[in-house]
Amino acid sequence: MEDYHKPDQQTLQALKDTANRLRISSIKATTAAGSGHPTSCCSAAEIMSVLFFHTMRYKVQDPRNASNDRFVLSKGHAAPILYSVWAEAGFLQEAELLNLRKIDSVLEGHPVPRQTFTDVATGSLGQGLGAACGMAYTGKFFDRASYRVYCLLGDGELSEGSVWEAMAFAGFYKLDNLVAIFDVNRLGQSDPAPLQHHVEIYQKRCEAFGWHAIIVDGHSVEELCKAFGQAKHQPTAIIAKTFKGKGISGVEDKESWHGKPLPKNMAEQVIQEIDDKIQNKKKLSPALPEEDAPVVNIRNIKMPSPPTYKVGEKWATRKAYGVALAKLGHANDRVIALDGDTKNSTFSELFKKEHPNRYIECYIAEQNMVSIAVGCATRDRTVAFASTFATFFTRAFDQIRMAAISESNINLCGSHCGVSIGEDGPSQMGLEDLCMFRAVPNATVFYPSDAVATEKAVEIAANTKGICFIRTSRPENPVIYNNNEDFHIGQAKVVLKSKDDQVTVIGAGVTLHEALAAAEQLRKEKIFIRVIDPFTIKPLDKKTILENARATKGRIITVEDHYHEGGIGEAVCAAVVGEPGITVSRLAVSHVPRSGKSAELLKMFGIDKDAIVQAVKVAVSKSRNAE
């Protein structure tokens, strides 16, 4: 107990009183709302009291100060006690707590960053610790500041695998500025948690993951003060044995009370009972932080020089991504890269080679990698780029969805998209990724078709708010753009055009090159097509697509290395729906593919140049017959 000084009796009593006030506020708020989780709040009352009014150092009126200690409420359903803490500290008005869950209140059912004291949205359980790891990694290795990170988890969410991905990460990187608190209150939503009160098993698990683990009575403010005062050269897990609904007579440690507010009469009686235990109304003030977090500027990051590619040279966009990211790293020392043990395939290894201290190896734990990126990007401390095979982001969709709710600015690069990867087969092929990322609110989906476009996408993504996804391919394709070509979100490129064009073909990545090859073949037969590169699939350049479709008798063909559902074809259909005289034919991967050579698979699934030639001829003959 190097730094531990036992608090005096007066302080200990004040912390007990604070805990009971937090209980009362949580009960009042949930009863007023008619919904919420008062029992989950009550088990954590002493933990929250000691954390916020004894252990943590922060500026109450400046919750997002870069030097403040961080707190993540992973058990997001206990939001009312978090709000009660900020009211107790004086940042929120007590009366505002009674507006919990109302449509015009910032105090939502689970924490969201609309609240300035919330860094990441929680409530989808098992994700808070990964974000906390990202914050702690940033504090230790990038900011090199003294702020600490605290994460409160419920015992129910400890069944989530993502928690243990985060535990492994923190243990491996010895994040000694991170403290996880397990609120082991025994009861889940519909049943007791699997280990109930076997706190010693949690302790062994934590120790096996490289953590210093301490078992405490979670309702003893003195034991909590002592546990929080221990500093070790590894992350700390405080395993707090608590009782759900602590302090609510008739409800404490009883099943079937999860997520149920107390009826008004019962609440009044319970509040009176708890209030009788409070000895002093005096409020405690938190300690101030040491202001040693550096000033950071991540705005307007520009590439140090233009691209240096030659038209016609063959480059895989996945490699161009690595080159671009390494280059961007020289423009701003807050650009960081993360990968899940695929850096020699995604080419993020090029960034690691040039900026080894800003590369985070997350190993094969994609859910955690996304959470780490979200944590690193909080409070605008870094510009995070995380990469893996596009298909492996599907397992992290919940983390990506929550990142959007967290208003996070993270950049994700998915390589090895589509059947064009060839022999590795369907388990490695990203065929659902466009669909997934298009569904994410405020996401930007880049699908660059050559090395120049890829470099521009990386630069733009670094300066774009929200979730950015960059889809890169394995095959090497010719560079088609000049190095000075200008790119913008939502602005497509017409890469081939003549006054005699009869059909507009829209492709991206490998299929854009197939479309250009098809155009070459068709030209010999005096059939001309217009070819469009969308650059971003979300937002899609509806104006350019419609203008060109109208110039080609309303005929559009989309061709994509992706399943039909949710890809380029459906995005184009959504853009042109209700427009008179427009027809769309869609070429896409129609069923689960198999191993084979890239060209064989493009042919098998009807998305190669021959399939495009055929589709164009069908479209042209259809309208001729109609005439």
Side-chain angles (χ1 to χ4, degrees):
M1 323 305 154
E2 297 82 19
D3 301 333
Y4 180 66
H5 302 289
K6 183 181 170 180
D8 57 41
Q9 281 309 117
Q10 203 179 345
T11 303
L12 291 172
Q13 186 56 50
L15 290 167
K16 288 176 191 173
D17 291 342
T18 301
N20 280 322
R21 277 199 294 277
L22 297 177
R23 281 193 174 91
I24 290 170
S25 295
S26 302
I27 293 166
K28 279 182 179 173
T30 49
T31 295
S35 65
H37 303 74
T39 58
S40 304
C41 294
C42 288
S43 66
E46 282 76 17
I47 295 167
M48 296 293 275
S49 169
V50 172
L51 258 181
F52 277 86
F53 299 100
H54 179 73
T55 302
M56 282 170 58
R57 297 172 304 167
Y58 60 102
K59 292 183 166 182
V60 171
Q61 297 306 328
D62 185 11
R64 289 214 177 135
N65 187 294
S67 295
N68 284 354
D69 283 348
R70 315 295 201 247
F71 175 77
V72 179
L73 182 66
S74 191
K75 50 174 275 178
H77 52 284
I81 200 160
L82 177 65
Y83 307 156
S84 300
V85 156
W86 284 97
E88 176 77 15
F91 181 74
L92 292 174
Q93 299 290 321
E94 294 274 350
E96 180 59 24
L97 298 176
L98 300 179
N99 293 324
L100 174 72
R101 294 173 166 239
K102 287 185 182 167
I103 199 159
D104 55 355
S105 172
V106 76
L107 304 182
E108 296 199 21
H110 290 76
V112 287
R114 284 175 60 214
Q115 306 141 359
T116 43
F117 48 80
T118 295
D119 286 301
V120 290
T122 53
S124 182
L125 293 171
Q127 296 190 29
L129 188 59
C133 284
M135 295 173 192
Y137 193 100
T138 298
K140 182 171 173 142
F141 296 108
F142 305 143
D143 285 342
R144 300 198 173 116
S146 55
Y147 64 79
R148 294 174 68 74
V149 182
Y150 298 88
C151 179
L152 179 61
L153 300 94
D155 51 352
E157 66 181 307
L158 300 177
S159 291
E160 288 281 7
S162 53
V163 170
W164 300 97
E165 288 185 9
M167 292 291 287
F169 179 94
F172 179 76
Y173 287 110
K174 295 187 168 49
L175 300 181
D176 52 2
N177 55 346
L178 175 65
V179 180
I181 308 100
F182 292 3
D183 180 7
V184 185
N185 66 20
R186 194 182 74 80
L187 298 173
Q189 175 170 328
S190 62
D191 249 334
L195 296 181
Q196 298 204 34
H197 271 150
H198 289 292
V199 285
E200 70 289 347
I201 299 177
Y202 288 119
Q203 184 179 37
K204 284 177 186 157
R205 288 183 181 180
C206 293
E207 287 170 351
F209 278 78
W211 289 58
H212 174 56
I214 313 162
I215 293 171
V216 298
D217 171 355
H219 299 304
S220 163
V221 293
E222 189 175 340
E223 283 190 35
L224 286 162
C225 288
K226 192 172 176 181
F228 284 125
Q230 293 191 28
K232 298 280 175 191
H233 296 298
Q234 61 190 135
T236 297
I238 292 172
I239 297 148
K241 182 182 176 181
T242 61
F243 292 96
K244 198 160 183 172
K246 177 72 175 175
I248 307 176
S249 51
V251 170
E252 184 177 315
D253 200 34
K254 294 275 193 296
E255 288 188 46
S256 305
W257 274 96
H258 180 91
K260 291 179 183 171
L262 304 188
K264 198 162 181 291
N265 297 348
M266 185 182 181
E268 284 167 4
Q269 187 187 328
V270 167
I271 288 165
Q272 191 55 57
E273 286 172 18
I274 299 172
D275 195 52
D276 289 345
K277 295 176 189 164
I278 296 174
Q279 293 183 18
N280 196 322
K281 297 278 191 261
K282 185 173 169 290
K283 297 199 172 185
L284 293 165
S285 295
L288 292 172
E290 195 178 327
E291 298 209 38
D292 57 2
V295 174
V296 168
N297 181 8
I298 58 167
R299 294 191 194 293
N300 202 22
I301 301 174
K302 293 280 174 252
M303 285 288 186
S305 58
T308 52
Y309 296 103
K310 290 190 178 74
V311 170
E313 262 183 357
K314 286 195 162 189
W315 277 80
T317 54
R318 63 172 175 146
K319 188 169 186 182
Y321 167 78
V323 170
L325 194 57
K327 196 166 159 183
L328 193 73
H330 292 290
N332 188 299
D333 65 3
R334 286 281 155 165
V335 173
I336 64 167
L338 305 85
D339 204 297
D341 193 29
T342 56
K343 58 185 172 288
N344 52 348
S345 293
T346 61
F347 283 95
S348 63
E349 67 176 6
L350 300 179
F351 181 94
K352 184 189 177 181
K353 202 168 155 190
E354 292 186 35
H355 316 282
N357 297 333
R358 288 190 268 143
Y359 172 84
I360 308 175
E361 181 54 70
C362 297
Y363 299 98
I364 302 168
E366 293 84 7
Q367 294 183 18
N368 190 56
M369 178 174 74
V370 171
S371 293
I372 298 291
V374 168
C376 289
T378 56
R379 303 195 189 190
D380 289 340
R381 302 311 292 166
T382 69
V383 178
F385 282 82
S387 49
T388 184
F389 286 20
T391 201
F392 301 144
F393 276 120
T394 58
R395 74 193 299 153
F397 184 55
D398 193 18
Q399 279 74 6
I400 294 163
R401 178 185 76 88
M402 290 301 292
I405 298 170
S406 292
E407 299 170 26
S408 184
N409 303 316
I410 57 168
N411 308 293
L412 306 176
C413 175
S415 71
H416 292 68
C417 65
V419 299
S420 59
I421 70 163
E423 289 83 349
D424 271 348
S427 70
Q428 313 299 298
M429 296 169 174
L431 289 160
E432 309 86 357
D433 51 308
L434 291 178
C435 176
M436 177 170 85
F437 282 100
R438 281 183 61 225
V440 174
N442 302 321
T444 304
V445 180
F446 296 90
Y447 193 174
S449 293
D450 81 344
V452 174
T454 305
E455 186 161 315
K456 300 288 181 156
V458 168
E459 182 180 45
I460 295 167
N463 297 287
T464 301
K465 285 202 176 306
I467 313 294
C468 288
F469 176 61
I470 302 172
R471 188 180 210 233
T472 64
S473 307
R474 186 167 186 259
E476 294 183 344
N477 285 120
V479 172
I480 56 172
Y481 295 111
N482 291 315
N483 289 316
N484 60 358
E485 184 77 37
D486 214 10
F487 286 83
H488 299 280
I489 289 170
Q491 208 168 5
K493 298 282 179 193
V494 181
V495 291
L496 192 65
K497 172 180 185 178
S498 79
K499 63 178 189 341
D500 303 316
D501 295 337
Q502 294 175 272
V503 182
T504 293
V505 178
I506 302 169
V510 293
T511 62
L512 182 79
H513 297 275
E514 294 295 324
L516 291 170
E520 189 62 28
Q521 203 169 310
L522 286 160
R523 195 164 56 88
K524 293 170 187 163
E525 300 178 44
K526 300 281 186 287
I527 300 171
F528 298 93
I529 62 172
R530 195 157 295 192
V531 179
I532 291 181
D533 171 8
F535 184 58
T536 56
I537 312 303
K538 179 181 178 175
L540 193 67
D541 186 351
K542 177 178 175 172
K543 185 170 168 283
T544 297
I545 290 169
L546 276 173
E547 274 173 12
N548 288 281
R550 290 196 178 111
T552 56
K553 302 186 177 170
R555 306 177 192 130
I556 298 174
I557 294 170
T558 63
V559 53
E560 61 192 300
D561 198 358
H562 186 276
Y563 287 138
H564 277 90
E565 292 78 13
I568 297 170
E570 288 196 353
V572 170
C573 287
V576 303
V577 71
E579 295 287 342
I582 304 281
T583 58
V584 182
S585 302
R586 297 180 298 137
L587 307 180
V589 179
S590 54
H591 56 267
V592 175
R594 48 159 301 124
S595 291
K597 289 190 168 66
S598 182
E600 292 172 333
L601 289 162
L602 292 176
K603 189 172 198 62
M604 177 183 267
F605 287 96
I607 55 171
D608 69 343
K609 69 174 196 303
D610 295 340
I612 297 167
V613 166
Q614 193 53 37
V616 168
K617 287 178 174 176
V618 167
V620 171
S621 68
K622 256 188 196 166
S623 60
R624 276 185 190 149
N625 293 342
E627 284 162 17

